Amino acid sequence: MEAWLQQQLRAGSPFIESNFCEVEQTSLHYLRWRSKPEATDWSDIRGIVLLHGGGANAYWWEFLAPMLFQKEGFDILAVTNSGNGDSGHRESYSTLQWGEEVVACAKKLGLITEGRKKPFLVGHSLGGIIMTVTLSQLEGCDFAGYVSMDHIIRSWDSPSRIPATPFKSAPVKHPYSDPPVKRFVLAPSQSVVHQCLVDFIAQRSHVKEENKWYWKGDFNRRPKMLVSLSKTPPLGNMLVQINEKKCPVVFVIGEKSAIMKPNQEATQQLRAHLPVVAIPDCQHHLWLDDPVATASVLRAIFAMWEQQLSPKQENTLSLLAKL
């Protein structure tokens, strides 16, 4: 698979757009893939909105998003939260604020708009925590389905807690003389299956200025958090409530994820309320281990939801109910 992946990375996608969206006086970087960018009528094409994990950015989805394309048309948006990647910085950050950024960006770019099919949503790691908290607190729901991927849920009846880490102020720009591929490490740490994918992300997570490399993003992002992740409410309960009251939810995890090991009991409880899909032989950063399997799982979930949402399916169910 390594040679095939390298070929895909070199080829890139002819549909990709890299741009910025202004939300609450902060510029948010996004990547977007559209089958017909010149079109004016998108009512029949359901979008997909992707949110990265902690310290990551939209480029993490760059080689996975094209695998989600559907023949009948596609519109896929990957947003970089403020304080990350090429997006602007804020004086403070919170999980709800980050989630509202994603929703606002999707609305400004037309993926969420009256008369158009509601998009599907995918959040990985911290992105899953962000969107779970956001969907549970916002009125109504702008999404037709939500895939939450490999994040803590902890005890079912108590807050999901992340060990507190003392934060220290860091310089805004800290230079490195070594190329990013030599310094970049995954967090949480895991064995590397495809080095070309990790190198690809490393290069897009840094910028080179005057022969020095700089990490993209706000070095003070974590100490600027208004709400500590150690006080996150019980995410398992939130996922169930979203699934029952707002939109269908599927929880996707890596079978070998270190993040999920302390959450095994809570995950088992979650299975009684909504689908939990474990991708074999994958760690926390699922598509770095097996992008094809990850894309296949997501496409299967989207296809299932699409069938459930189609008018034909609804009519069939109505007829069966009358028999």
Side-chain angles (χ1 to χ4, degrees):
M1 183 184 286
E2 190 80 9
W4 177 80
L5 286 172
Q6 290 177 354
Q7 181 182 1
Q8 296 300 307
L9 294 176
R10 285 194 298 269
S13 171
F15 302 101
I16 193 170
E17 170 194 353
S18 176
N19 214 325
F20 293 86
C21 176
E22 196 79 11
V23 175
E24 294 183 358
Q25 300 180 324
T26 301
S27 184
L28 302 180
H29 176 249
Y30 68 84
L31 297 178
R32 191 176 187 182
W33 299 260
R34 289 186 288 176
S35 54
K36 46 179 184 178
E38 73 288 347
T40 56
D41 183 9
W42 287 82
S43 57
D44 290 334
I45 296 180
R46 191 184 306 281
I48 300 172
V49 179
L50 309 171
L51 182 59
H52 59 82
N57 53 65
Y59 287 110
W60 280 63
W61 301 100
E62 187 174 350
F63 53 86
L64 185 72
M67 299 183 192
L68 304 178
F69 292 173
Q70 302 290 342
K71 290 182 180 179
E72 59 271 19
F74 51 86
D75 187 5
I76 302 175
L77 174 69
V79 181
T80 299
N81 276 141
S82 58
N84 295 275
D86 292 320
S87 289
H89 302 176
R90 297 188 187 274
E91 291 300 315
S92 60
Y93 305 101
S94 73
T95 50
L96 182 58
Q97 179 191 58
W98 276 329
E100 289 176 335
E101 287 179 353
V102 175
V103 175
C105 192
K107 286 182 177 179
K108 281 198 168 188
L109 296 174
L111 282 85
I112 299 174
T113 188
E114 188 176 352
R116 183 174 177 181
K117 293 179 179 179
K118 290 183 178 181
F120 296 137
L121 172 67
V122 181
H124 173 251
S125 193
L126 178 59
I129 295 174
I130 288 169
M131 296 317 302
T132 298
V133 171
T134 302
L135 291 180
S136 68
Q137 295 191 29
L138 293 182
E139 291 292 329
C141 185
D142 292 310
F143 300 95
Y146 170 41
V147 180
S148 199
M149 301 181 75
D150 212 277
H151 61 73
I152 62 162
I153 47 181
R154 287 291 194 272
S155 174
W156 193 252
D157 297 315
S158 62
S160 303
R161 298 197 175 276
I162 299 174
T165 303
F167 297 130
K168 296 180 180 179
S169 180
V172 175
K173 295 181 73 172
H174 185 72
Y176 305 108
S177 56
D178 295 331
V181 294
K182 290 188 176 182
R183 297 185 58 90
F184 188 79
V185 293
L186 297 171
S189 177
Q190 67 178 53
S191 60
V192 174
V193 178
H194 302 293
Q195 188 64 50
C196 65
L197 297 183
V198 177
D199 291 348
F200 180 85
I201 291 171
Q203 291 169 346
R204 281 155 179 76
S205 299
H206 293 77
V207 61
K208 190 175 185 180
E209 298 177 3
E210 298 180 352
N211 295 320
K212 295 288 185 180
W213 291 96
Y214 296 88
W215 172 258
K216 293 180 180 179
D218 188 350
F219 269 84
N220 292 306
R221 175 176 55 85
R222 294 188 73 184
K224 286 181 180 179
M225 287 286 290
L226 286 176
V227 180
S228 172
L229 291 179
S230 64
K231 298 179 181 178
T232 300
L235 295 165
N237 291 5
M238 285 184 169
L239 288 170
V240 172
Q241 291 169 3
I242 295 168
N243 184 61
E244 292 177 348
K245 298 179 180 180
K246 297 194 174 182
C247 70
V249 176
V250 175
F251 192 49
V252 176
I253 63 176
E255 194 175 57
K256 294 184 176 180
S257 171
I259 289 285
M260 299 312 301
K261 285 181 180 178
N263 291 268
Q264 289 180 352
E265 182 180 350
T267 304
Q268 195 58 36
Q269 290 176 309
L270 194 61
R271 292 180 190 274
H273 301 275
L274 54 86
V276 177
V277 180
I279 302 182
D281 209 32
C282 280
Q283 303 164 91
H284 173 67
H285 302 285
L286 302 151
W287 61 96
L288 297 187
D289 288 348
D290 196 334
V292 175
T294 304
S296 297
V297 167
L298 291 175
R299 289 183 65 157
I301 293 169
F302 297 154
M304 174 187 68
W305 285 340
E306 201 63 66
Q307 185 183 40
Q308 293 171 351
L309 292 165
S310 68
K312 182 178 179 181
Q313 176 74 2
E314 291 174 3
N315 292 338
T316 302
L317 293 175
S318 298
L319 290 171
L320 289 173
K322 294 177 182 179
L323 294 178

